[in-house]
């Protein structure tokens, strides 16, 4: 299946037109960046980079690679800060916000990594980053839990909460697939995740 077809399927048929209309900065893709010093400007702090990226997106201009790299780098630093070492074994719940120049294509992704392989965390999130490029979206904010014995019920509870909110119009959120939500702010989605952190059901592993 082509990436374009996967994206249309992921976001349902009603998104096909908006995907086709998404600006591509004169057919240029988002600059490719790696999470290393080569692509980072030591004089560009993460907060400034986020403001700059938002300005580039809002005005339809292609952001420099160093700006994209700074925003991505901070998101990955946030994952380590909030969830500890990403190489640790254990189930994890995560909330990711991907921001696109086309606001309709920005979204929050809620998901879970399994405990069998600690390396899966990095692979999974990088796969989501690759998928987001179809919408010209950048990993803008990220949160992940500490490793736990099982996050299955935790993930189910968060998705159920957000799905119900979308159906009842409790908070401004639109569900576009089981794990993809638009309109909701990143902080709101993280608060929902933390609300469902049941101390009797979520057993965290020792750091």
């Amino acid at each position: 299946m082509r990436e374009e077809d996967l994206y249309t399927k992921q976001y349902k048929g009603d998104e096909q037109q908006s995907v086709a209309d998404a600006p591509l900065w004169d057919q240029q893709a988002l600059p490719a960046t790696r999470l290393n010093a080569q692509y980072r400007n030591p004089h560009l702090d993460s907060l400034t980079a986020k403001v700059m990226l938002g300005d580039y997106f809002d005005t339809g201009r292609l952001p420099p690679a160093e700006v994209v790299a700074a925003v991505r780098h901070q998101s990955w630093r946030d994952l380590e800060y909030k969830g500890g070492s990403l190489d640790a074994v254990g189930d994890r719940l995560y909330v990711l916000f991907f921001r696109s120049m086309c606001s309709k294509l920005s979204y929050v992704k809620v998901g879970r990594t399994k405990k069998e392989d600690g390396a899966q965390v990095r692979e999974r999130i990088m796969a989501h980053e690759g998928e987001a490029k179809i919408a010209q979206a950048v990993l803008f904010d990220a949160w992940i839990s500490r490793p736990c014995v099982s996050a299955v019920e935790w993930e189910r509870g968060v998705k159920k909460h957000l799905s119900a909110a979308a159906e009842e119009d409790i908070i401004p959120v639109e569900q576009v697939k089981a794990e993809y939500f638009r309109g909701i702010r990143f902080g709101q989605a993280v608060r929902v995740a933390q609300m469902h952190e049941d101390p009797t059901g979520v057993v965290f592993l020792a750091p």
Side-chain angles (χ1 to χ4, degrees), residues 66-139:
E66 63 181 21
V67 172
V68 177
V71 172
R72 288 186 63 221
H73 179 66
Q74 184 58 47
S75 294
W76 281 86
R77 287 186 63 186
D78 287 343
L79 291 171
E80 293 271 7
Y81 175 75
K82 294 164 184 173
S85 172
L86 300 182
D87 296 322
V89 174
D91 269 24
R92 294 175 187 259
L93 181 75
Y94 59 81
V95 178
L96 310 174
F97 172 54
F98 290 94
R99 181 168 180 176
S100 171
M101 186 172 74
C102 181
S103 60
K104 284 187 65 176
L105 300 181
S106 297
Y107 60 92
V108 164
K109 170 75 169 68
V110 177
R112 174 180 64 90
T113 57
K114 299 179 182 179
K115 63 184 178 181
E116 286 81 1
D117 182 8
Q120 187 192 77
V121 176
R122 299 179 189 277
E123 294 170 0
R124 179 72 62 84
I125 293 175
M126 290 184 75
H128 290 321
E129 285 191 293
E131 179 185 82
K133 289 180 181 178
I134 302 171
Q136 296 284 31
V138 177
L139 181 59

